[in-house]
């Protein structure tokens, strides 16, 4: 008998960046490991992280997560970390080269979508290549979402 895995079994989502889906067109997603200090991991496990204004950048052939706020660990004293320090992301060289090309040539942005713990307990960040939406694009996506909700309501009422 085989056991089927749902998303809940594979990883535990710590934080999501919902605003990224509102502000950007997501083109391609990548899974990256993160280099963290001990108190950062403990704080992540408590769910004390904010991805709101964070982004990823490529510096000297390495990818870094910037402005990701991981609050200091409540029981960590001298060993606590700087909440806004830049953290190195772990990606394959081919993926990094692809990201360098797309961000420099096409003008795309690297946006973190969520932070989660994998099945093995490793902290991972889902990073996306994204293109910024204009104001009228946002309005159109809101109109489309509202129209979809109206259709769903009409179908429910007919049943």
């Amino acid at each position: 008998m085989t056991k089927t895995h749902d998303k809940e079994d594979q990883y535990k989502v710590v934080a999501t960046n919902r605003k990224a889906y509102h502000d950007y067109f997501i083109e391609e997603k990548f899974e990256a490991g993160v280099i963290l200090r001990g108190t950062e991991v403990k704080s992540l496990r408590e769910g004390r992280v904010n991805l709101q204004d964070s982004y990823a950048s490529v510096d000297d052939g390495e990818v870094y997560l910037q402005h990701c706020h991981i609050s200091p660990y409540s029981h960590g004293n001298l060993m606590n970390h700087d909440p806004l320090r830049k953290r190195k992301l772990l990606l394959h060289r081919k993926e990094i080269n692809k990201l360098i090309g797309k961000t420099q040539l096409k003008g795309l942005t690297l946006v973190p979508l969520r932070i989660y713990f994998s099945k093995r307990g490793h902290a991972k960040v889902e990073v996306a290549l994204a293109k910024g939406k204009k104001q009228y694009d946002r309005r159109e996506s809101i109109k489309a979402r509202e129209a979809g909700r109206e259709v769903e309501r009409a179908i429910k009422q007919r049943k």
Side-chain angles (χ1 to χ4, degrees):
M1 186 160 90
T2 60
K3 182 181 176 188
T4 59
H5 296 284
D6 0 274
K7 297 284 183 186
E8 304 295 318
D9 287 345
Q10 292 178 1
Y11 54 84
K12 177 191 170 216
V13 176
V14 177
T16 56
N17 189 358
R18 290 192 208 143
K19 197 170 182 183
Y21 290 101
H22 182 263
D23 293 342
Y24 299 97
F25 292 114
I26 306 300
E27 297 202 359
E28 193 172 354
K29 295 179 184 178
F30 297 92
E31 179 184 64
V34 192
I35 295 181
L36 297 172
R37 298 204 173 120
T39 56
E40 289 176 325
V41 176
K42 292 178 179 187
S43 191
L44 266 182
R45 290 203 187 276
E46 288 181 349
R48 297 171 49 108
V49 62
N50 186 2
L51 289 174
Q52 202 70 20
D53 297 324
S54 59
Y55 62 93
S57 64
V58 182
D59 300 327
D60 299 327
E62 302 290 339
V63 182
Y64 293 97
L65 182 64
Q66 310 229 1
H67 292 282
C68 174
H69 188 279
I70 298 177
S71 298
Y73 182 54
S74 57
H75 302 299
N77 46 20
L78 295 173
M79 302 304 286
N80 259 334
H81 58 278
D82 176 28
L84 288 174
R85 77 176 186 90
K86 71 179 190 179
R87 296 161 180 93
K88 186 175 177 182
L89 297 181
L90 304 172
L91 290 160
H92 292 285
R93 176 57 49 197
K94 285 183 180 179
E95 292 175 330
I96 292 173
N97 292 338
K98 189 175 188 179
L99 293 176
I100 289 171
K102 297 238 178 165
T103 54
Q104 288 178 351
L105 295 177
K106 288 190 173 181
L108 298 176
T109 308
L110 284 172
V111 180
L113 298 178
R114 61 187 174 159
I115 294 181
Y116 58 94
F117 284 100
S118 68
K119 187 177 180 182
R120 300 174 110 194
H122 299 282
K124 302 283 186 179
V125 176
E126 187 176 47
V127 182
L129 272 171
K131 183 179 179 184
K133 285 185 182 179
K134 304 285 186 220
Q135 188 66 36
Y136 56 85
D137 290 331
R138 292 184 196 147
R139 287 189 193 120
E140 285 179 23
S141 62
I142 290 171
K143 284 179 190 175
R145 186 172 57 227
E146 290 296 324
R149 287 181 183 162
E150 290 295 325
V151 169
E152 291 294 323
R153 283 188 201 122
I155 291 172
K156 268 189 179 177
Q157 287 177 353
R158 285 196 173 182
K159 288 184 181 181

